[in-house]
Protein backbone atom coordinates (compact mmCIF):
# COMPACT_ATOMS: atom_id res chain seq x y z
CA UNK A 1 0.00 0.00 0.00
CA UNK A 2 1.38 3.43 -0.97
CA UNK A 3 2.03 6.19 1.55
CA UNK A 4 -0.82 8.22 0.07
CA UNK A 5 -3.21 5.28 0.38
CA UNK A 6 -2.20 4.77 4.02
CA UNK A 7 -2.78 8.45 4.81
CA UNK A 8 -6.17 8.27 3.08
CA UNK A 9 -7.07 5.20 5.18
CA UNK A 10 -6.26 7.02 8.43
CA UNK A 11 -8.01 10.19 7.23
CA UNK A 12 -11.24 8.28 6.63
CA UNK A 13 -11.11 6.94 10.20
CA UNK A 14 -11.45 10.47 11.56
CA UNK A 15 -15.09 11.62 12.05
CA UNK A 16 -16.33 14.15 9.44
CA UNK A 17 -16.17 17.15 11.79
CA UNK A 18 -12.71 16.10 12.89
CA UNK A 19 -11.51 16.05 9.29
CA UNK A 20 -12.66 19.64 8.79
CA UNK A 21 -10.89 20.75 11.97
CA UNK A 22 -7.71 18.87 11.05
CA UNK A 23 -7.59 20.47 7.60
CA UNK A 24 -8.20 23.93 9.05
CA UNK A 25 -5.33 23.51 11.52
CA UNK A 26 -2.97 22.10 8.88
CA UNK A 27 -3.42 25.10 6.56
CA UNK A 28 -3.86 27.74 9.28
CA UNK A 29 -0.30 29.21 9.15
CA UNK A 30 -0.48 29.73 5.39
CA UNK A 31 -4.05 31.02 5.49
CA UNK A 32 -3.14 33.62 8.12
CA UNK A 33 -0.37 35.17 6.06
CA UNK A 34 -1.70 34.75 2.50
CA UNK A 35 -3.40 37.60 0.66
CA UNK A 36 -6.29 36.33 -1.46
CA UNK A 37 -9.40 37.51 -3.24
CA UNK A 38 -12.54 37.59 -1.10
CA UNK A 39 -14.17 35.15 -3.52
CA UNK A 40 -11.53 32.49 -2.83
CA UNK A 41 -11.92 30.56 0.45
CA UNK A 42 -8.96 29.80 2.72
CA UNK A 43 -7.32 26.47 1.90
CA UNK A 44 -8.19 25.21 5.36
CA UNK A 45 -11.91 25.57 4.60
CA UNK A 46 -11.84 23.77 1.25
CA UNK A 47 -13.20 20.23 1.62
CA UNK A 48 -14.04 19.45 -2.01
CA UNK A 49 -10.90 17.77 -3.31
CA UNK A 50 -7.44 18.65 -4.54
CA UNK A 51 -6.28 21.06 -7.22
CA UNK A 52 -6.29 24.83 -7.54
CA UNK A 53 -9.69 26.19 -6.46
CA UNK A 54 -9.96 28.79 -9.23
CA UNK A 55 -8.58 26.65 -12.05
CA UNK A 56 -10.71 23.65 -11.11
CA UNK A 57 -13.78 25.89 -11.04
CA UNK A 58 -12.98 27.21 -14.50
CA UNK A 59 -12.51 23.66 -15.78
CA UNK A 60 -15.92 22.68 -14.45
CA UNK A 61 -17.51 25.77 -15.97
CA UNK A 62 -16.00 25.09 -19.39
CA UNK A 63 -17.10 21.45 -19.15
CA UNK A 64 -20.67 22.56 -18.49
CA UNK A 65 -20.68 25.12 -21.30
CA UNK A 66 -19.06 22.76 -23.79
CA UNK A 67 -21.62 20.01 -23.26
CA UNK A 68 -24.81 22.01 -22.73
CA UNK A 69 -24.49 25.26 -24.69
CA UNK A 70 -26.43 27.16 -22.02
CA UNK A 71 -26.71 30.93 -22.39
CA UNK A 72 -25.85 33.59 -19.76
CA UNK A 73 -29.51 33.82 -18.73
CA UNK A 74 -29.74 30.08 -17.91
CA UNK A 75 -30.96 28.54 -14.65
CA UNK A 76 -28.32 26.26 -13.10
CA UNK A 77 -28.66 23.88 -10.15
CA UNK A 78 -25.39 22.74 -8.55
CA UNK A 79 -26.05 19.64 -6.44
CA UNK A 80 -23.28 19.36 -3.87
CA UNK A 81 -22.24 22.99 -4.32
CA UNK A 82 -19.56 22.61 -1.65
CA UNK A 83 -17.77 25.84 -0.92
CA UNK A 84 -18.65 27.45 -4.25
CA UNK A 85 -15.98 26.25 -6.65
CA UNK A 86 -18.29 26.12 -9.68
CA UNK A 87 -20.42 29.00 -8.40
CA UNK A 88 -17.48 31.42 -8.27
CA UNK A 89 -16.50 30.46 -11.82
CA UNK A 90 -20.07 30.91 -13.07
CA UNK A 91 -20.28 34.47 -11.74
CA UNK A 92 -18.20 35.45 -14.78
CA UNK A 93 -20.72 33.87 -17.16
CA UNK A 94 -24.28 34.12 -15.89
CA UNK A 95 -25.86 37.55 -16.17
CA UNK A 96 -28.47 39.21 -13.97
CA UNK A 97 -31.24 37.31 -15.78
CA UNK A 98 -29.52 34.00 -15.03
CA UNK A 99 -29.96 31.98 -11.87
CA UNK A 100 -27.60 29.77 -9.90
CA UNK A 101 -28.91 27.58 -7.09
CA UNK A 102 -26.80 25.25 -5.00
CA UNK A 103 -27.31 22.95 -2.06
CA UNK A 104 -24.90 20.98 0.09
CA UNK A 105 -24.89 18.99 3.32
CA UNK A 106 -21.75 20.68 4.70
CA UNK A 107 -23.08 23.76 6.45
CA UNK A 108 -19.73 25.57 6.64
CA UNK A 109 -19.47 25.55 2.86
CA UNK A 110 -23.02 26.85 2.41
CA UNK A 111 -22.44 29.61 4.96
CA UNK A 112 -19.25 30.71 3.20
CA UNK A 113 -21.10 30.93 -0.13
CA UNK A 114 -23.93 32.92 1.43
CA UNK A 115 -21.46 35.36 2.98
CA UNK A 116 -19.04 35.84 0.08
CA UNK A 117 -20.98 35.15 -3.12
CA UNK A 118 -24.67 36.00 -2.62
CA UNK A 119 -24.15 39.63 -1.43
CA UNK A 120 -22.31 40.38 -4.69
CA UNK A 121 -24.52 38.19 -6.87
CA UNK A 122 -28.09 38.02 -5.43
CA UNK A 123 -29.13 35.54 -8.14
CA UNK A 124 -26.70 33.00 -6.63
CA UNK A 125 -28.60 31.23 -3.85
CA UNK A 126 -27.39 28.46 -1.56
CA UNK A 127 -29.24 26.04 0.72
CA UNK A 128 -28.07 23.70 3.44
CA UNK A 129 -29.63 20.22 3.54
CA UNK A 130 -29.05 17.90 6.50
CA UNK A 131 -28.49 14.44 4.98
CA UNK A 132 -26.44 11.53 6.24
CA UNK A 133 -23.20 10.66 4.44
CA UNK A 134 -20.30 8.54 5.69
CA UNK A 135 -17.74 11.02 4.42
CA UNK A 136 -19.33 14.38 5.23
CA UNK A 137 -22.15 14.20 7.76
CA UNK A 138 -22.99 11.72 10.53
CA UNK A 139 -25.08 14.13 12.62
CA UNK A 140 -28.41 12.96 11.17
CA UNK A 141 -30.17 9.78 10.09
CA UNK A 142 -32.04 11.47 7.23
CA UNK A 143 -31.25 9.55 4.06
CA UNK A 144 -30.66 10.91 0.57
CA UNK A 145 -32.95 8.22 -0.83
CA UNK A 146 -35.95 10.06 0.64
CA UNK A 147 -34.81 13.62 -0.09
CA UNK A 148 -36.99 15.82 -2.29
CA UNK A 149 -35.09 18.66 -3.96
CA UNK A 150 -36.42 21.99 -2.59
CA UNK A 151 -37.43 23.30 -6.03
CA UNK A 152 -40.50 23.25 -8.25
CA UNK A 153 -40.59 20.97 -11.30
CA UNK A 154 -39.12 22.00 -14.67
CA UNK A 155 -37.05 24.87 -13.25
CA UNK A 156 -33.50 24.36 -14.52
CA UNK A 157 -31.65 24.28 -17.83
CA UNK A 158 -28.81 22.26 -16.36
CA UNK A 159 -28.10 20.32 -13.16
CA UNK A 160 -24.47 19.69 -12.21
CA UNK A 161 -23.02 17.09 -9.85
CA UNK A 162 -19.23 17.19 -9.65
CA UNK A 163 -17.89 14.48 -7.33
CA UNK A 164 -21.32 13.81 -5.82
CA UNK A 165 -22.50 10.51 -7.28
CA UNK A 166 -19.03 9.10 -6.54
CA UNK A 167 -19.96 9.43 -2.83
CA UNK A 168 -23.43 7.89 -3.01
CA UNK A 169 -24.88 4.37 -2.80
CA UNK A 170 -27.36 3.04 -5.42
CA UNK A 171 -30.66 3.72 -3.64
CA UNK A 172 -29.65 7.34 -3.08
CA UNK A 173 -28.57 7.78 -6.70
CA UNK A 174 -31.87 6.35 -7.91
CA UNK A 175 -33.75 9.02 -6.00
CA UNK A 176 -31.45 11.84 -7.13
CA UNK A 177 -31.77 10.84 -10.79
CA UNK A 178 -35.54 10.92 -10.42
CA UNK A 179 -35.41 14.34 -8.78
CA UNK A 180 -33.05 15.65 -11.45
CA UNK A 181 -35.50 14.55 -14.12
CA UNK A 182 -38.29 16.33 -12.25
CA UNK A 183 -36.54 19.70 -11.82
CA UNK A 184 -35.02 19.84 -15.32
CA UNK A 185 -36.78 21.66 -18.12
CA UNK A 186 -37.53 19.61 -21.24
CA UNK A 187 -34.31 19.41 -23.22
CA UNK A 188 -32.28 20.27 -20.11
CA UNK A 189 -28.98 18.60 -19.28
CA UNK A 190 -27.38 16.92 -16.30
CA UNK A 191 -23.56 17.07 -16.08
CA UNK A 192 -22.26 14.53 -13.57
CA UNK A 193 -19.08 12.70 -12.64
CA UNK A 194 -18.70 9.09 -11.52
CA UNK A 195 -16.15 6.36 -11.02
CA UNK A 196 -17.23 3.98 -13.80
CA UNK A 197 -16.09 0.39 -14.01
CA UNK A 198 -16.07 -0.24 -17.74
CA UNK A 199 -13.94 -3.01 -19.23
CA UNK A 200 -10.80 -0.88 -19.54
CA UNK A 201 -11.08 0.34 -15.95
CA UNK A 202 -11.55 -3.22 -14.67
CA UNK A 203 -8.50 -4.42 -16.60
CA UNK A 204 -6.41 -1.54 -15.26
CA UNK A 205 -7.54 -2.30 -11.70
CA UNK A 206 -6.56 -5.98 -12.13
CA UNK A 207 -3.11 -4.98 -13.40
CA UNK A 208 -2.62 -2.42 -10.61
CA UNK A 209 -2.53 0.54 -13.00
CA UNK A 210 -5.15 2.52 -11.05
CA UNK A 211 -2.95 2.77 -7.95
CA UNK A 212 -4.86 3.30 -4.72
CA UNK A 213 -8.20 3.40 -6.56
CA UNK A 214 -8.63 -0.36 -6.56
CA UNK A 215 -12.30 -0.53 -5.47
CA UNK A 216 -11.73 -4.04 -4.16
CA UNK A 217 -14.86 -4.26 -2.00
CA UNK A 218 -17.23 -5.55 -4.64
CA UNK A 219 -21.01 -5.70 -4.56
CA UNK A 220 -23.58 -6.48 -7.22
CA UNK A 221 -23.09 -3.66 -9.72
CA UNK A 222 -20.86 -1.40 -7.66
CA UNK A 223 -17.78 -1.34 -5.42
CA UNK A 224 -16.35 0.57 -2.46
CA UNK A 225 -12.81 1.85 -2.06
CA UNK A 226 -13.08 1.59 1.74
CA UNK A 227 -15.33 -0.95 3.47
CA UNK A 228 -15.70 1.13 6.66
CA UNK A 229 -16.42 4.50 5.07
CA UNK A 230 -18.43 3.23 2.14
CA UNK A 231 -19.48 6.58 0.70
CA UNK A 232 -15.92 7.89 0.67
CA UNK A 233 -15.59 6.58 -2.90
CA UNK A 234 -18.07 4.42 -4.81
CA UNK A 235 -17.57 3.01 -8.32
CA UNK A 236 -20.30 1.65 -10.61
CA UNK A 237 -20.36 -1.00 -13.29
CA UNK A 238 -21.34 0.70 -16.53
CA UNK A 239 -24.24 -1.69 -17.18
CA UNK A 240 -25.62 -1.22 -13.66
CA UNK A 241 -25.39 2.56 -13.90
CA UNK A 242 -26.94 2.60 -17.37
CA UNK A 243 -29.92 0.68 -16.00
CA UNK A 244 -30.46 3.25 -13.23
CA UNK A 245 -30.27 6.08 -15.76
CA UNK A 246 -32.83 4.36 -18.00
CA UNK A 247 -35.19 3.89 -15.05
CA UNK A 248 -35.00 7.62 -14.32
CA UNK A 249 -36.20 8.44 -17.88
CA UNK A 250 -33.06 10.51 -18.47
CA UNK A 251 -31.01 9.66 -21.56
CA UNK A 252 -27.23 9.34 -21.70
CA UNK A 253 -25.90 11.73 -24.34
CA UNK A 254 -22.17 11.15 -23.95
CA UNK A 255 -19.50 9.78 -21.64
CA UNK A 256 -15.85 10.76 -21.23
CA UNK A 257 -13.29 8.74 -19.23
CA UNK A 258 -11.45 10.26 -16.29
CA UNK A 259 -7.79 10.05 -15.37
CA UNK A 260 -8.43 7.93 -12.26
CA UNK A 261 -8.58 4.69 -14.26
CA UNK A 262 -5.38 5.42 -16.21
CA UNK A 263 -7.36 5.28 -19.44
CA UNK A 264 -5.44 5.45 -22.70
CA UNK A 265 -8.00 8.04 -23.85
CA UNK A 266 -7.00 11.68 -23.25
CA UNK A 267 -9.14 13.57 -20.76
CA UNK A 268 -9.03 16.64 -18.53
CA UNK A 269 -11.28 15.22 -15.77
CA UNK A 270 -10.14 13.05 -12.86
CA UNK A 271 -13.49 11.26 -12.56
CA UNK A 272 -15.50 9.92 -15.45
CA UNK A 273 -17.95 12.40 -16.96
CA UNK A 274 -21.50 11.57 -18.06
CA UNK A 275 -23.91 13.94 -19.82
CA UNK A 276 -27.62 13.16 -19.43
CA UNK A 277 -30.61 14.88 -21.00
CA UNK A 278 -34.32 15.15 -20.36
CA UNK A 279 -35.64 14.59 -23.87
Amino acid sequence: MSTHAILRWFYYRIPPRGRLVLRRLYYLPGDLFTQRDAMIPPKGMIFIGSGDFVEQGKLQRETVLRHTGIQPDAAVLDVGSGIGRLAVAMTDYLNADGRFEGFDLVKKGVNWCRKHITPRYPNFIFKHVDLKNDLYNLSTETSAKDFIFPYESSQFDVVTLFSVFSHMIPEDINNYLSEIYRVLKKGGYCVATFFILDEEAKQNIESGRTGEFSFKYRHDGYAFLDEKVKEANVAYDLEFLSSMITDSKLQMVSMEPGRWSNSHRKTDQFQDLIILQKK
Side-chain angles (χ1 to χ4, degrees), residues 111-130:
N111 288 343
W112 187 91
C113 291
R114 287 173 172 172
K115 180 178 180 180
H116 294 271
I117 302 176
T118 303
R120 297 185 181 190
Y121 302 91
N123 53 335
F124 281 63
I125 304 166
F126 303 90
K127 293 180 173 67
H128 172 248
V129 297
D130 196 22

Side-chain angles (χ1 to χ4, degrees), residues 37-56:
D37 189 281
M39 294 278 281
I40 302 176
K43 284 188 176 181
M45 290 189 68
I46 299 173
F47 54 89
I48 50 176
S50 58
D52 181 87
F53 179 84
V54 174
E55 293 305 314
Q56 289 297 313

Side-chain angles (χ1 to χ4, degrees), residues 1 16 65 76 93 103 107 113 119 123 127 139 144 151 154 161 179-180 185 190 197 201 222 224-225 246 249 259 263:
M1 184 180 291
L65 299 184
V76 178
Y93 184 75
F103 69 81
K107 194 171 185 178
C113 291
N123 53 335
K127 293 180 173 67
S139 64
Y151 312 100
S154 304
L161 303 95
E179 283 295 288
I180 289 167
K185 299 176 182 177
C190 172
L197 299 173
Y222 60 101
F224 299 125
L225 184 65
T246 299
K249 299 181 182 178
R259 297 192 307 275
S263 168

Side-chain angles (χ1 to χ4, degrees), residues 120-179:
R120 297 185 181 190
Y121 302 91
N123 53 335
F124 281 63
I125 304 166
F126 303 90
K127 293 180 173 67
H128 172 248
V129 297
D130 196 22
L131 300 175
K132 185 177 182 180
N133 183 277
D134 286 351
L135 185 62
Y136 292 115
N137 186 21
L138 296 176
S139 64
T140 180
E141 292 299 320
T142 304
S143 174
K145 70 182 177 65
D146 302 315
F147 178 60
I148 298 175
F149 289 6
Y151 312 100
E152 298 296 326
S153 300
S154 304
Q155 290 288 303
F156 296 98
D157 298 289
V158 61
V159 177
T160 63
L161 303 95
F162 286 100
S163 193
V164 175
F165 284 145
S166 51
H167 301 297
M168 296 178 69
I169 59 177
E171 59 185 7
D172 297 337
I173 288 182
N174 275 327
N175 179 54
Y176 269 43
L177 288 173
S178 177
E179 283 295 288

Side-chain angles (χ1 to χ4, degrees), residues 30-269:
D31 286 338
L32 287 175
F33 299 103
T34 300
Q35 294 287 335
R36 63 180 178 279
D37 189 281
M39 294 278 281
I40 302 176
K43 284 188 176 181
M45 290 189 68
I46 299 173
F47 54 89
I48 50 176
S50 58
D52 181 87
F53 179 84
V54 174
E55 293 305 314
Q56 289 297 313
K58 290 179 179 178
L59 173 61
Q60 291 182 356
R61 179 189 66 198
E62 296 311 309
T63 298
V64 171
L65 299 184
R66 174 164 55 93
H67 286 283
T68 68
I70 57 170
Q71 299 302 303
D73 61 351
V76 178
L77 172 60
D78 188 19
V79 176
S81 51
I83 197 164
R85 181 167 56 190
L86 175 60
V88 169
M90 290 298 289
T91 60
D92 288 339
Y93 184 75
L94 294 180
N95 61 29
D97 294 322
R99 172 185 171 205
F100 188 101
E101 297 262 5
F103 69 81
D104 201 278
L105 49 81
V106 180
K107 194 171 185 178
K108 288 185 178 180
V110 173
N111 288 343
W112 187 91
C113 291
R114 287 173 172 172
K115 180 178 180 180
H116 294 271
I117 302 176
T118 303
R120 297 185 181 190
Y121 302 91
N123 53 335
F124 281 63
I125 304 166
F126 303 90
K127 293 180 173 67
H128 172 248
V129 297
D130 196 22
L131 300 175
K132 185 177 182 180
N133 183 277
D134 286 351
L135 185 62
Y136 292 115
N137 186 21
L138 296 176
S139 64
T140 180
E141 292 299 320
T142 304
S143 174
K145 70 182 177 65
D146 302 315
F147 178 60
I148 298 175
F149 289 6
Y151 312 100
E152 298 296 326
S153 300
S154 304
Q155 290 288 303
F156 296 98
D157 298 289
V158 61
V159 177
T160 63
L161 303 95
F162 286 100
S163 193
V164 175
F165 284 145
S166 51
H167 301 297
M168 296 178 69
I169 59 177
E171 59 185 7
D172 297 337
I173 288 182
N174 275 327
N175 179 54
Y176 269 43
L177 288 173
S178 177
E179 283 295 288
I180 289 167
Y181 181 88
R182 181 182 66 81
V183 302
L184 273 176
K185 299 176 182 177
K186 289 182 180 180
Y189 291 92
C190 172
V191 179
T193 63
F194 295 82
F195 290 115
I196 298 176
L197 299 173
D198 60 10
E199 289 306 313
E200 183 178 7
K202 291 176 181 177
Q203 291 174 8
N204 288 345
I205 287 175
E206 288 297 321
S207 63
R209 295 184 63 204
T210 58
E212 64 184 286
F213 287 90
S214 59
F215 293 102
K216 61 182 178 179
Y217 301 102
R218 296 286 300 170
H219 294 262
D220 187 15
Y222 60 101
F224 299 125
L225 184 65
D226 190 299
E227 63 178 338
K228 298 297 183 182
V229 187
K230 295 180 174 61
E231 290 165 310
N233 293 281
V234 189
Y236 285 88
D237 289 341
L238 181 57
E239 298 82 1
F240 185 82
L241 178 59
S242 296
S243 177
M244 288 196 290
I245 291 170
T246 299
D247 290 344
S248 74
K249 299 181 182 178
L250 291 165
Q251 294 187 25
M252 187 186 300
V253 177
S254 63
M255 180 175 68
E256 294 181 0
R259 297 192 307 275
W260 78 271
S261 61
N262 204 10
S263 168
H264 73 280
R265 294 160 288 187
K266 293 182 179 180
T267 180
D268 55 7
Q269 297 280 347

